Amino acid sequence: MDHRAVPRLVVAVLLCLAALATGCTGATVQGRPGASGLRDPYFPRAGNGGYQVEHYALDLDYDPADGELRATAVLTARAEQGLSSFNLDFSGLKVEEVRVDGVGARHNRTGTELTVRPAEDLEKGEVFRTEVDYRGRPKPVLDPDGSREGWIATADGAVAVGEPVGSMGWFPGNHHPSDKATYDVTLTVPNGYEAVSNGELASRTEVDGGRTAFAWRSREPVASYLVTAAVGRFEVATGRTPSGVSVYHAVSPGEAAGSEAALAKTSDIVEWGSRRFGPYPFGTVGSIVMPSETLAYALETQTKPVYSGAPDELLVLHELAHQWFGNSVSPKSWKDMWLNEGFATYAEWLWAEDHGGVGAQRRFDAFLTGDTSVDAAADNDWAAFPPADPPGAEHISDDPVYTRGAMVLHRIRQEVGDEKFFDLLRGWATDHRHGNASTADFTAYAQRRTGHDLKKVWDVWLYGEGRPKAPR
Ligand code: TRP
Ligand code: ZN
């Protein structure tokens, strides 16, 4: 027994005596409510405290004709404290029943919080299973910047996109990127429709009532904003990259011709990214191309980005770059968004540089001078705020997060040289693979890995207000 065990034993005995004095029996666990949010600087109610989800099994039955979803979500989670109740983030739809470890649980809803009170308190460290039966017509979630996310019905199907908080619009969960989990998503749709989600297709089975169940499986952890489900009359194309990653494209027929050339680059992009950033982090890759009127943006949903209308090559490159930066290495909070978007944007610069296009140095200079003959976006408002400190939730996808985020990376490259810079990119993606990281994690890592003091880059480019001057 080590010497610290003795005082711990004394404390444990005193705690037991105290518990007896307050009338609790040995068998009863003392729980308290889990927090209703994780205090994210931009979305304080997103996510929940007191537990971490290990696995989601989502069973969704969707009828495109009437837009009705009937579903069961099964969450396997581990309690991080004694819990008398805990919250899930969930918006709209009707909760029919909640069970914890097979026993009916009381629940109530306020706003986007679903509070579950198990029949018995949960013990710290306990792994428990929460089942939620729900149904209804999902409504899109409106973002602070006015864009739509969540479950988006189309003329002949639907697609789900969740950045930053849309996933609560179609399944209950711990909807914050800091709690990643594996997923099984089973979609049951009328025969004749295709249904697609992240990861690999484990089975496709005809079931009663002229319906087909598509069982999708993500073996690697996923942040919940990157989970997708898509239903439509897609054209499906499958294959394999030279290094053995399985490919699955689902394309709306009206977008097939326009998508072909860009989607055909998928293997090249995966191989190129694997050289630049380290091994591709997932076993599958592909795309979901929705009709062009579906959304005003694309999203890097894990393994299969969602496009609204035919993407071009650079958009495919951007969304696939997120598989390393954002999806495998995920932000710890929504303040760390530039770790996603700055890196994916810089990947576009590198791709051009490596494929006979404009070099990153020339592009960096063009943004400094606003030279739109080099990059059509060079006159954007990249200096409006520092990328590590957007002035509000409605600004987390503004130009500074993308362009100035990329410029931060280029500034590091200027300071440390190509060899150390590319080692840094690869090291960052490798050492944080399938995890979460913050801006502070990155700045510390960059200094350690390159052996350079980069304080001035952080002060001026990452955190500084105003428009930085050209470095001398
Ligand atoms: N991540 C997407 C991309 O760059 C863009 C995006 C879609 C986004 N929805 C968002 C960014 C919500 C921030 C917040 O490909
Ligand atoms: Zn992006």
Side-chain angles (χ1 to χ4, degrees):
M1 190 190 275
D2 80 73
H3 64 283
R4 286 167 312 187
V6 176
R8 245 192 272 134
L9 185 64
V10 172
V11 169
V13 168
L14 288 175
L15 281 176
C16 288
L17 288 173
L20 285 171
T22 58
C24 104
T25 69
T28 308
V29 183
Q30 286 286 287
R32 57 197 165 84
S36 63
L38 292 173
R39 299 166 177 255
D40 183 276
Y42 295 93
F43 298 91
R45 305 297 295 272
N48 304 283
Y51 67 94
Q52 292 244 327
V53 183
E54 294 176 348
H55 183 74
Y56 291 81
L58 308 179
D59 227 307
L60 306 151
D61 199 306
Y62 187 65
D63 186 351
D66 64 7
E68 177 93 1
L69 187 64
R70 284 177 293 140
T72 299
V74 183
L75 286 66
T76 306
R78 182 182 294 276
E80 294 182 307
Q81 63 174 64
L83 284 169
S84 56
S85 68
F86 60 92
N87 279 18
L88 300 171
D89 302 315
F90 197 39
S91 164
L93 301 168
K94 183 178 185 303
V95 173
E96 294 184 309
E97 195 179 301
V98 180
R99 297 172 294 279
V100 175
D101 292 330
V103 180
R106 289 199 288 156
H107 57 274
N108 67 312
R109 302 181 72 178
T110 34
T112 58
E113 299 292 331
L114 165 63
T115 302
V116 177
R117 184 182 295 277
E120 276 185 43
D121 286 8
L122 300 162
E123 211 170 323
K124 181 177 178 175
E126 191 178 339
V127 174
F128 63 102
R129 209 175 127 94
T130 306
E131 295 169 84
V132 182
D133 299 333
Y134 60 98
R135 65 186 300 162
R137 274 194 197 76
K139 284 195 201 61
V141 174
L142 207 61
D143 281 342
D145 70 3
S147 57
R148 288 181 319 144
E149 47 163 331
W151 188 273
I152 312 290
T154 63
D156 197 18
V159 67
V161 284
E163 189 177 27
V165 292
S167 293
M168 66 182 175
W170 63 284
F171 68 95
N174 197 19
H175 290 307
H176 190 268
S178 58
D179 187 9
K180 295 164 75 164
T182 53
Y183 282 78
D184 288 329
V185 178
T186 300
L187 300 164
T188 304
V189 294
N191 290 343
Y193 286 89
E194 298 290 328
V196 188
S197 184
N198 318 83
E200 64 191 356
L201 184 60
S203 65
R204 172 190 180 133
T205 323
E206 268 207 48
V207 295
D208 289 349
R211 302 170 82 75
T212 303
F214 295 78
W216 291 91
R217 180 184 302 150
S218 291
R219 296 171 183 276
E220 304 94 355
V222 193
S224 80
Y225 76 95
L226 298 166
V227 182
T228 189
V231 177
R233 303 199 185 263
F234 302 119
E235 290 179 10
V236 172
T238 62
R240 202 166 274 281
T241 70
S243 55
V245 178
S246 71
V247 181
Y248 193 105
H249 296 295
V251 182
S252 296
E255 306 295 341
S259 300
E260 205 181 318
L263 297 185
K265 294 283 181 183
T266 299
S267 281
D268 286 351
I269 293 172
V270 168
E271 300 302 310
W272 174 82
S274 302
R275 284 196 303 276
R276 278 286 183 225
F277 313 136
Y280 179 74
F282 307 113
T284 69
V285 68
S287 65
I288 298 169
V289 183
M290 298 301 293
S292 57
E293 65 275 11
T294 308
L295 287 166
Y297 57 84
L299 188 66
E300 64 267 25
T301 42
Q302 194 147 306
T303 69
K304 290 183 197 70
V306 168
Y307 304 98
S308 192
D312 62 16
E313 178 180 310
L314 265 192
L315 185 57
V316 174
L317 181 277
H318 179 103
E319 305 309 337
L320 292 182
H322 276 306
Q323 305 307 312
W324 285 265
F325 304 112
N327 298 15
S328 170
V329 185
S330 304
K332 272 188 185 161
S333 91
W334 289 110
K335 210 183 174 93
D336 304 315
M337 192 63 174
W338 80 278
L339 294 175
N340 292 11
E341 301 305 347
F343 280 63
T345 302
Y346 200 67
E348 295 177 45
W349 297 17
L350 288 176
W351 173 263
E353 177 171 303
D354 284 354
H355 292 83
V358 173
Q361 178 62 46
R362 191 149 170 250
R363 200 180 297 272
F364 175 85
D365 291 340
F367 275 95
L368 270 173
T369 57
D371 183 352
T372 52
S373 71
V374 175
D375 188 314
D379 60 351
N380 80 20
D381 201 8
W382 60 265
F385 56 82
D389 198 14
E394 68 276 30
H395 295 293
I396 62 169
S397 53
D398 286 2
D399 292 331
V401 176
Y402 287 73
T403 303
R404 190 160 158 184
M407 293 171 93
V408 169
L409 293 177
H410 193 72
R411 283 292 296 113
I412 298 170
R413 187 176 172 186
Q414 290 174 331
E415 293 296 318
V416 306
D418 279 9
E419 196 178 320
K420 283 181 178 171
F421 177 72
F422 288 112
D423 172 72
L424 167 63
L425 288 187
R426 218 173 290 114
W428 176 248
T430 306
D431 289 354
H432 295 275
R433 186 177 167 95
H434 299 317
N436 291 88
S438 66
T439 300
D441 293 331
F442 177 73
T443 55
Y445 185 90
Q447 303 210 141
R448 206 168 355 105
R449 184 96 185 182
T450 65
H452 282 250
D453 179 1
L454 296 164
K455 184 171 186 304
K456 274 167 86 178
V457 175
W458 315 140
D459 286 353
V460 174
W461 285 88
L462 189 53
Y463 295 113
E465 297 292 341
R467 188 181 177 95
K469 301 248 179 329
R472 296 184 305 118

